[in-house]
Amino acid sequence: MRRLLICLLLGFLPLFAGVSAHASETTRPKVGLVLSGGAARGLAHIGVLKALEEQGIKIDAIAGTSMGAVVGGLYASGYKIDELEKLALTIDWQQALSDAPPRKDVPFRRKQDDRDFLVKQKLSFRDDGSLGLPLGVIQGQNLALLLESLLAHTSDTRDFDKLPIPFRAVTTDIANGEKVVFRKGHLPQVIRASMSIPAVFAPVELDGRLLVDGGMTDNIPLDVAREMGVDVAIVVDIGTPLRNRKQLVTVVDVLNQSITLMTRRNSEEQLATLHPDDVLIQPPLASFGSTDFGRGKEMIDAGYRATQALDVRLARLKPVQSQDAELNAARAPGQRTPIITAIKVENDSKVGDDVIRYYIRQHIGEPLDLGRLQTDMGTLYGLDYFEQVQYRVVHKGTDHTLVISARGKRTGTDYLRVGLSLSDDMRGDSAFNLGASYRMNGINRLGAEWLTRAQIGDKQELYSEFYQPLDVGSRYFVAPYASFAAQNVDSVLDNDPIAQYRVERYGFGLNVGRQIGNSGEVRFGVGEAWGKADVRIGDQDLPSENFNEGFYALKYSFDSLDNVYYPHEGEDIGLTLVQFEPSLGSDTRYRQWEFKLDKAMSSGPDTLILGGRYGRTLDDANVVTSSFLLGGARQLSGFREDAISGQNVSLMRAVYYRRLTPRSYLPLDFPLYAGASLERGRAWNNDNEFDSGYINAASVFIGFDTPLGPLNFSYGLNDADEQAVYLNLGQTF
């Protein structure tokens, strides 16, 4: 009998153990994670999550605000800790926190705007002529694309309770100041709204509300976690501390302090409701600023260490079982690259749906190519028709539809840009030019535009071109134009200037061409011009000349520079061939060609640019009207701008510069550069009455890449005993 009882007990022991384990699991408190906002300081949340996972803590719910919503949303959707850490340390935060796509993704025609004038910031105008001002310094285009790419696998999850970990994001309705908590919606859009710092990021329009950063009303959403039914809350407070009186020295400091005061007030209210069983984690982040994204590793480590220090208190929250199967399934890589079965366009802009569709290279029946899609969205945004271009994947059974959403610019699609350049040769001769361009964009469904450019100063110019694409992708185009230009050109005999002519030229023409990807363009055109050259300085008995020109022109342009003002990589190539023909009205028949090249190479903060230009006039032609011009900063430094003219020119140069300031992750980035150049050039005429011989030149310069455009101070000299000081706002090379 005794043996029978022992056997029965042994048989039931596993059952009792299972019941005991189940009871332990069911009685385990439901754990909620509360992640506060704090911009870059929010990267410390990743370190907290890393330590919690190592301790085996199972998170049952997450509530986040601002950067806390970003980290919390990614983790709740299935991202692993090592993935989050890699993202934090490899994302180009400066690019993500701006609107401009990488220049390599910008259409070629938009790249040329950087050269045509001059100051990079532009004013936009609506169709009624009113000035269009944005709702934020940053529209959030790149940030929205980044979130969409990271959360593409959640596009069909509208109920955040159905994520692997239930999630809530907190925002603020800027119209009435109310807190808005999202438990449903499009996750990337909701997260983007939660981190819309007022005036910095444009608000997000969602469900009839205008939403900004949740930190304005609830920076530590502990109450939100309670409403999700958690028993114990792990609260991570990474809020920015208040600055003392001595630290408040600029208007930016005062503005930041005002925001901090607002967020700290509601944070203290939430912290006062902590229960004895709750766990408060406050990583030591006093030395970190809200824009220190470049110190992500240090902040992650700070969050990790602060959590490890509380391992004793956290141990009681450790479950018997590990992470659930749903979370592990969500972490499978295949979940993030669905097979696309259809593509749909949502568009309220001036251009047609087929134009937008043309730029999307995703193939139906293939996995979602996030890298290529990111490039395509940058190209679309670079067209300057849209306030924002976004995408999402809609899942319905086995169907996965890629939806491209393009919202037309509310601030208008007509743009005004201005530029200024000054130079002085230290001998009383100065050059001054003030220019502006106005571009009417999106005139018809194919994206026609009308560009008008004007300049006054040493060079007068008026140029107007109507650019009409012939297909939806603007591959082929036709561009009629009219122009006027006037400037002074020196006449030289035996290497001595004998007169200065004032050359005025009027003209019109028609170009047809083809764009080559985002980096190149070929144009063929026919044109006619006429004008006169009057003696301005010198022997007044020298004849004035009237001239007529009729010509064919072939032009190839290639631009892969990552920055037109201070490039770090890429090439700028130009080749122009012109044939002047009497049959088109030209006084004489002659040919000209010009080749330009600049190649940028960088290593860290150091950049070297090698390049130059070569221009030739073939056959006999009028010297004054057929001359190329040299002179100015890095164009044979030491001479004033356009001081040397000749029917043939050559220039070789090497330009070196170094960035002296660290990168900023705010729109107001003022990088400082210092550099120098070495140049060698020559100008000569076909009649051998003028040949400058090879001239060696050098310059040193300091430059700022300001939000308005590059500001350069240069000093140049050459072995022709010329020297000059240059001040340039605008074009650098």
Side-chain angles (χ1 to χ4, degrees):
M1 188 68 174
R2 183 179 295 177
R3 280 184 183 178
L4 180 62
L5 288 172
I6 292 172
C7 291
L8 288 171
L9 286 172
L10 290 173
F12 281 107
L13 274 176
L15 179 62
F16 291 149
V19 171
S20 176
H22 179 72
S24 175
E25 182 65 19
T26 56
T27 58
R28 183 188 70 88
K30 186 177 181 180
V31 179
L33 182 62
V34 181
L35 303 178
S36 71
R41 295 157 62 93
L43 298 180
H45 292 318
I46 299 173
V48 172
L49 286 167
K50 183 178 181 179
L52 291 176
E53 277 206 357
E54 287 182 359
Q55 296 173 41
I57 308 298
K58 179 181 177 182
I59 303 299
D60 300 291
I62 300 175
T65 296
S66 195
M67 198 63 175
V70 176
V71 176
L74 290 172
Y75 188 72
S77 72
Y79 273 83
K80 296 182 287 187
I81 292 299
D82 59 339
E83 292 177 313
L84 291 177
E85 190 166 7
K86 184 179 179 180
L87 283 172
L89 301 180
T90 58
I91 287 176
D92 186 344
W93 289 101
Q94 188 180 51
Q95 180 67 30
L97 300 177
S98 69
D99 290 322
R103 197 167 183 269
K104 65 180 178 62
D105 297 340
V106 175
F108 179 80
R109 187 161 176 85
R110 296 286 74 84
K111 290 180 179 178
Q112 301 314 105
D113 293 342
D114 297 333
R115 305 177 185 278
D116 283 344
F117 290 112
L118 279 180
V119 175
K120 56 185 169 185
Q121 296 301 320
K122 53 186 183 285
L123 297 174
S124 61
F125 294 85
R126 301 183 181 93
D127 291 345
D128 61 2
S130 62
L131 179 65
L133 295 175
L135 293 175
V137 176
I138 304 171
Q139 297 304 303
Q141 168 66 20
N142 291 341
L143 184 60
L145 287 181
L146 176 63
L147 292 171
E148 290 286 354
S149 68
L150 296 175
L151 296 166
H153 60 291
T154 69
S155 292
D156 62 338
T157 306
R158 296 303 181 186
D159 186 350
F160 298 161
D161 282 340
K162 294 182 179 179
L163 291 170
I165 302 175
F167 174 71
R168 300 288 187 272
V170 179
T171 68
T172 302
D173 188 334
I174 193 65
N176 55 28
E178 292 181 358
K179 179 173 73 174
V180 182
V181 180
F182 280 92
R183 59 165 294 169
K184 295 182 178 181
H186 185 50
L187 185 58
Q189 195 175 34
V190 168
I191 292 175
R192 164 69 180 86
S194 181
M195 59 181 303
S196 296
I197 303 171
V200 178
F201 287 100
V204 173
E205 213 173 323
L206 193 58
D207 297 340
R209 297 173 179 267
L210 204 59
L211 302 172
V212 298
D213 196 299
M216 309 306 295
T217 51
D218 194 356
N219 198 49
I220 302 179
L222 177 57
D223 56 339
V224 177
R226 300 267 194 235
E227 292 171 2
M228 297 175 75
V230 304
D231 302 308
V232 176
I234 300 174
V235 179
V236 187
D237 178 15
I238 47 93
T240 306
L242 293 171
R243 298 191 175 198
N244 59 44
R245 173 64 183 87
K246 293 182 178 180
Q247 293 173 314
L248 300 174
V249 294
T250 69
V251 65
V252 177
D253 296 333
V254 174
L255 179 61
N256 289 335
Q257 186 85 332
S258 302
I259 297 174
T260 302
L261 281 169
M262 192 178 303
T263 58
R264 289 313 303 176
R265 186 175 292 114
N266 65 63
S267 294
E268 295 297 336
E269 291 174 358
Q270 291 290 336
L271 293 176
T273 66
L274 284 168
H275 296 169
D277 292 338
D278 296 331
V279 180
L280 175 62
I281 303 174
Q282 293 178 306
L285 302 174
S287 63
F288 300 96
S290 57
T291 61
D292 285 339
F293 290 96
R295 302 173 66 188
K297 186 67 170 66
E298 299 174 59
M299 288 183 283
I300 292 172
D301 290 343
Y304 180 79
R305 292 193 306 271
T307 308
Q308 277 191 318
L310 299 171
D311 58 348
V312 175
R313 290 196 63 192
L314 292 167
R316 62 186 177 82
L317 303 178
K318 184 176 180 180
V320 174
Q321 298 180 351
S322 59
Q323 298 281 7
D324 57 63
E326 186 180 2
L327 183 59
N328 291 330
R331 289 176 169 177
Q335 292 289 324
R336 299 173 197 163
T337 54
I339 304 295
I340 299 301
T341 57
I343 298 176
K344 178 184 176 183
V345 174
E346 297 175 347
N347 172 35
D348 68 351
S349 71
K350 292 182 176 181
V351 297
D353 293 357
D354 50 353
V355 173
I356 296 171
R357 181 65 182 87
Y358 170 81
Y359 288 98
I360 304 302
R361 296 173 294 166
Q362 172 69 46
H363 297 296
I364 293 176
E366 294 185 2
L368 180 64
D369 190 333
L370 289 171
R372 186 165 60 185
L373 184 58
Q374 200 84 351
T375 297
D376 296 343
M377 301 301 278
T379 302
L380 273 174
Y381 187 76
L383 294 172
D384 264 356
Y385 305 135
F386 312 107
E387 188 169 286
Q388 203 162 63
V389 184
Q390 298 178 331
Y391 68 88
R392 64 184 187 275
V393 180
V394 178
H395 305 269
K396 190 175 181 180
T398 59
D399 295 331
H400 308 287
T401 302
L402 175 62
V403 180
I404 307 299
S405 178
R407 186 171 67 190
K409 281 205 172 184
R410 306 297 192 264
T411 56
T413 56
D414 299 345
Y415 300 98
L416 174 68
R417 302 182 75 167
V418 297
L420 171 70
S421 69
L422 300 169
S423 66
D424 190 285
D425 65 359
M426 303 179 64
R427 297 183 179 180
D429 201 349
S430 301
F432 160 83
N433 288 291
L434 176 65
S437 70
Y438 190 81
R439 172 164 51 89
M440 299 176 64
N441 213 24
I443 295 176
N444 54 39
R445 302 293 286 178
L446 288 178
E449 51 188 73
W450 185 7
L451 172 68
T452 299
R453 203 168 55 230
Q455 181 171 289
I456 59 174
D458 288 77
K459 297 179 186 176
Q460 282 99 58
E461 180 186 13
L462 180 62
Y463 178 87
S464 189
E465 176 188 83
F466 187 84
Y467 178 89
Q468 176 61 63
L470 300 178
D471 62 352
V472 294
S474 297
R475 293 173 299 174
Y476 298 95
F477 62 87
V478 59
Y481 69 89
S483 65
F484 162 77
Q487 70 181 111
N488 299 329
V489 177
D490 289 338
S491 179
V492 181
L493 179 65
D494 296 331
N495 287 1
D496 293 319
I498 60 172
Q500 187 179 77
Y501 281 82
R502 183 66 174 177
V503 180
E504 296 181 357
R505 181 179 275 105
Y506 306 82
F508 62 90
L510 176 68
N511 288 314
V512 295
R514 190 189 194 286
Q515 288 197 56
I516 306 170
N518 288 334
S519 299
E521 179 188 85
V522 176
R523 289 188 175 213
F524 176 77
V526 58
E528 187 172 341
W530 63 93
K532 61 180 181 178
D534 294 325
V535 177
R536 178 176 176 268
I537 299 175
D539 188 351
Q540 298 300 308
D541 293 331
L542 290 171
S544 296
E545 299 182 22
N546 295 307
F547 60 89
N548 294 281
E549 299 172 336
F551 55 87
Y552 302 104
L554 179 65
K555 184 177 182 180
Y556 169 74
S557 304
F558 179 86
D559 182 356
S560 64
L561 298 177
D562 62 340
N563 186 310
V564 72
Y565 305 117
Y566 292 99
H568 296 88
E569 61 181 14
E571 299 169 345
D572 182 26
I573 303 172
L575 176 63
T576 304
L577 307 173
V578 185
Q579 173 80 46
F580 294 87
E581 281 291 339
S583 60
L584 296 177
S586 187
D587 294 329
T588 57
R589 176 183 287 110
Y590 67 98
R591 296 160 294 165
Q592 281 189 315
W593 64 274
E594 185 179 20
F595 177 72
K596 299 179 179 179
L597 168 66
D598 281 306
K599 170 83 174 166
M601 301 165 287
S602 293
S603 176
D606 301 300
T607 299
L608 177 65
I609 297 178
L610 299 176
R613 56 184 287 219
Y614 191 84
R616 288 297 306 269
T617 300
L618 308 177
D619 315 309
D620 293 331
N622 182 288
V623 171
V624 175
T625 58
S626 66
S627 288
F628 299 97
L629 300 175
L630 275 178
R634 293 168 287 281
Q635 297 278 346
L636 283 187
S637 299
F639 291 104
R640 61 177 172 81
E641 190 171 344
D642 297 336
I644 304 174
S645 63
Q647 290 180 302
N648 311 285
V649 295
S650 69
L651 173 69
M652 298 179 294
R653 66 184 180 189
V655 183
Y656 163 82
Y657 51 85
R658 179 181 178 88
R659 176 162 180 160
L660 302 179
T661 55
R663 296 182 69 189
S664 170
Y665 297 96
L666 290 176
L668 299 178
D669 188 17
F670 294 84
L672 171 64
Y673 297 91
S677 70
L678 294 175
E679 308 142 47
R680 180 177 173 86
R682 175 192 175 201
W684 70 100
N685 292 335
N686 290 337
D687 57 13
N688 295 321
E689 292 187 351
F690 166 66
D691 188 340
S692 70
Y694 283 103
I695 299 171
N696 300 308
S699 73
V700 293
F701 61 90
I702 292 178
F704 297 87
D705 195 3
T706 75
L708 293 177
L711 179 63
N712 276 278
F713 302 89
S714 308
Y715 169 74
L717 73 168
N718 55 58
D719 58 9
D721 294 327
E722 300 283 344
Q723 54 182 324
V725 173
Y726 309 96
L727 168 62
N728 291 89
L729 176 62
Q731 193 71 25
T732 310
F733 297 100

